[in-house]
Amino acid sequence: MDVKIEESWKERLSDEFEKAYFVGLTNFVRDEYLRTTVYPPGNLIFNAFQHCPFDRVKVVLLGQDPYHEPGQAHGLCFSVRDGVPFPPSLINIFKEIESDLGKPVPRSGDLTRWADQGVLLLNATLTVRAHSAASHQNRGWETFTDAVIHRLDAERKHIVYMLWGAYAQKKGSFINASRNLILSTAHPSPLSVRRGFFGCRHFSLANDYLIASGQEAIEW
């Protein structure tokens, strides 16, 4: 199957694209885009990979589901297009960066600037029906994104994995902690942000690790 994804990822994931689950997933997603409104736009489903080739991944930030309201999702977890109001979790992420690094809250919630520096902004599920959270879960995306993490874990080391909330922590439970840095805490949503996300200092800890392993820090 010819999947339009960045070449270094295409090379490593080509076997996944031929598996029965992915064929079924592709048929389901294609039908959804034809019948109803789905986010993100079809050409941005693999946007996280486009901006962050396999050999350039320095940080993996795991999200769960794309935003499901108009104009928000563009293929990068937690990110919104320039000019779109910040969702609550993104507001809390910027608050923690301000507390941790002293950087003021930016005007734009577009995190492409992170992706271009090597932050893989990966949702577990890459598509969603409009106004219907979790509507594309359990259709195969989770199997695909597990394969992405497995491939990184097998071939790369000295990556920072940011696992926020129980869902992300379970999804990343197999990552080799002796070869990478795993940063786990509560999810930044308003319901859980005060259970450990505020004050976690993940952004400075990530940069300290990257520098110590001979890599450039991320300009958060």
Side-chain angles (χ1 to χ4, degrees), residues 81-194:
R81 293 175 182 272
D82 195 21
V84 175
F86 300 168
S89 291
L90 186 56
I91 291 173
N92 289 333
I93 290 169
F94 287 147
K95 285 181 178 178
E96 175 58 23
I97 291 172
E98 184 174 33
S99 172
D100 185 14
L101 300 174
K103 296 175 65 70
V105 175
R107 293 183 177 181
S108 172
D110 186 342
L111 303 182
T112 302
R113 60 187 181 274
W114 294 2
D116 288 338
Q117 296 177 76
V119 182
L120 183 65
L121 296 165
L122 182 66
N123 275 316
T125 303
L126 300 188
T127 56
V128 67
R129 196 178 303 147
H131 318 300
S132 183
S135 51
H136 284 189
Q137 288 185 4
N138 302 315
R139 294 286 186 167
W141 277 131
E142 296 91 342
T143 303
F144 173 72
T145 51
D146 279 353
V148 169
I149 302 167
H150 272 291
R151 186 52 62 98
L152 281 169
D153 191 52
E155 293 191 25
R156 296 285 315 282
K157 61 182 179 179
H158 301 315
I159 291 176
V160 180
Y161 290 88
M162 293 182 169
L163 309 180
W164 298 341
Y167 183 92
Q169 288 158 25
K170 182 179 180 181
K171 190 171 182 67
S173 61
F174 59 81
I175 297 165
N176 188 334
S178 68
R179 290 159 48 96
N180 305 282
L181 176 64
I182 299 174
L183 298 175
S184 301
T185 191
H187 194 276
S189 75
L191 294 175
S192 58
V193 68
R194 298 190 184 278

